[in-house]
Amino acid sequence: MLLADKVCLITGAASQRGIGRATARVFAKHGASTVILDLDETQARLAASELGDKHLGLACNVTDKRACLDAADRVLQKFGRVDVLINNAGITQPIKFMDIKPENYDAVLDVNLRGTLYMSQAVVPQMRKQRSGSIICMSSVSAQRGGGIFGGPHYSAAKGGVLGLGKAMARELGPDNIRVNSITPGLIQTDITGDKLTDDLRAEILKGIPLNRLGAADDVANACLFLASDLSAYTTGAVIDVNGGMLIH
Ligand code: NAD
């Protein structure tokens, strides 16, 4: 049990096949009280109840600062502490550079980057009081190689921003014993790609992955477990690749 009695918040964690939901399951197995945050309250509650009695599901749109603060308050009322935050909520859009409209830019930057800022700002005061905490930010291989397979350039920009924000937070919050690390997943089989992953495209993508398979949500969840737990007590400002070797650098 690597997370016994830890209170762990995960944004964007209601999606059935998603990375956030898989992470919630792994955390619950390791003894955490898990808080599922997502856009829809009913879905968030359902996801939490599937894990057992001690977990909580709340509506929280991470682009809304007030909603992030309210969610953090509700967590403190119920559990009295916050140990881990996974900034996992994200959206992508497979569009080309010249086709990015202001509303595309705003939507993708707001959920991925602004959401990471707002939710982190909501929990850091409590983590500072506790003088401990672990924040994990979900970036993407798309940030490192300038485009993954599905995300447009604005998605790469947003996820690149997440890496910079995470590193700067690590530097500033380290003296309070709050660690901040990022994960850069490669292509993970979830619903984020919609129906765009055809068999031909999949075969083409596999040629570039040394481990010769797409990632599973649990592959990323297990990296989250390492970064959330004391196994990574001396790791901050790091970026962990979970990409099957798609990018080796
Ligand atoms: P997913 O679509 O299954 O899950 C994303 C979740 O975020 C959904 O439950 C959705 O409702 C929620 N969400 C969207 N907007 C939100 C908002 N404003 N506030 C709160 N929640 C919101 O996708 P996933 O593949 O599990 O992605 C999880 C994270 O991993 C994302 O940040 C994504 O960019 C990143 N990522 C995924 C892959 C991949 O291949 N699947 C690769 C690299 C990075």
Side-chain angles (χ1 to χ4, degrees):
M1 297 279 250
L2 288 169
L3 297 175
D5 303 324
K6 303 261 190 207
V7 177
C8 304
L9 279 65
I10 310 176
T11 67
S15 153
Q16 183 61 248
R17 286 172 5 107
I19 290 169
R21 184 83 167 254
T23 304
R25 291 191 189 107
V26 168
F27 281 18
K29 256 191 233 156
H30 276 270
S33 296
T34 306
V35 183
I36 307 258
L37 303 174
D38 213 304
L39 292 171
D40 183 272
E41 176 106 23
T42 311
Q43 294 300 320
R45 281 199 195 156
L46 258 175
S49 65
E50 190 191 76
L51 300 173
D53 291 342
K54 67 174 182 173
H55 309 280
L56 181 65
L58 295 174
C60 177
N61 180 340
V62 295
T63 68
D64 177 349
K65 178 95 187 260
R66 188 67 257 161
C68 294
L69 293 169
D70 287 348
D73 279 351
R74 297 265 305 268
V75 171
L76 286 181
Q77 277 164 26
K78 182 167 168 72
F79 297 107
R81 58 184 296 116
V82 176
D83 299 290
V84 175
L85 167 66
I86 316 276
N87 285 307
N88 169 76
I91 57 167
T92 187
Q93 297 169 344
I95 51 182
K96 300 272 187 214
F97 176 67
M98 288 304 290
D99 298 329
I100 300 170
K101 299 191 177 64
E103 57 271 28
N104 300 127
Y105 182 89
D106 286 347
V108 168
L109 270 286
D110 276 358
V111 181
N112 290 287
L113 186 53
R114 187 188 296 270
T116 297
L117 174 72
Y118 285 172
M119 200 60 229
S120 302
Q121 286 178 328
V123 300
V124 160
Q126 177 63 26
M127 287 181 171
R128 276 192 160 136
K129 270 190 211 156
Q130 295 169 199
R131 293 201 60 75
S132 77
S134 173
I135 298 177
I136 296 154
C137 303
M138 207 54 75
S139 178
S140 168
V141 70
S142 178
Q144 300 163 307
R145 49 169 253 173
I149 289 115
F150 291 99
H154 54 332
Y155 180 73
S156 300
K159 292 303 197 184
V162 167
L163 290 183
L165 178 62
K167 288 179 186 181
M169 284 165 59
R171 204 174 282 284
E172 188 173 329
L173 302 175
D176 294 304
N177 196 31
I178 301 170
R179 301 183 295 107
V180 186
N181 294 287
S182 297
I183 298 179
T184 41
L187 186 54
I188 310 298
Q189 297 188 81
T190 68
D191 292 331
I192 203 169
T193 49
D195 54 6
K196 308 264 177 335
L197 189 64
T198 60
D199 286 347
D200 286 352
L201 181 55
R202 184 197 188 84
E204 196 52 41
I205 292 167
L206 282 180
K207 287 182 196 161
I209 303 180
L211 289 183
N212 199 35
R213 68 170 174 88
L214 301 187
D218 273 348
D219 292 319
V220 183
N222 288 331
C224 287
L225 177 63
F226 168 69
L227 290 174
S229 74
D230 290 343
L231 289 179
S232 59
Y234 200 50
T235 301
T236 197
V239 178
I240 302 215
D241 293 343
V242 182
N243 66 22
M246 176 194 269
L247 179 76
I248 296 176
H249 53 115

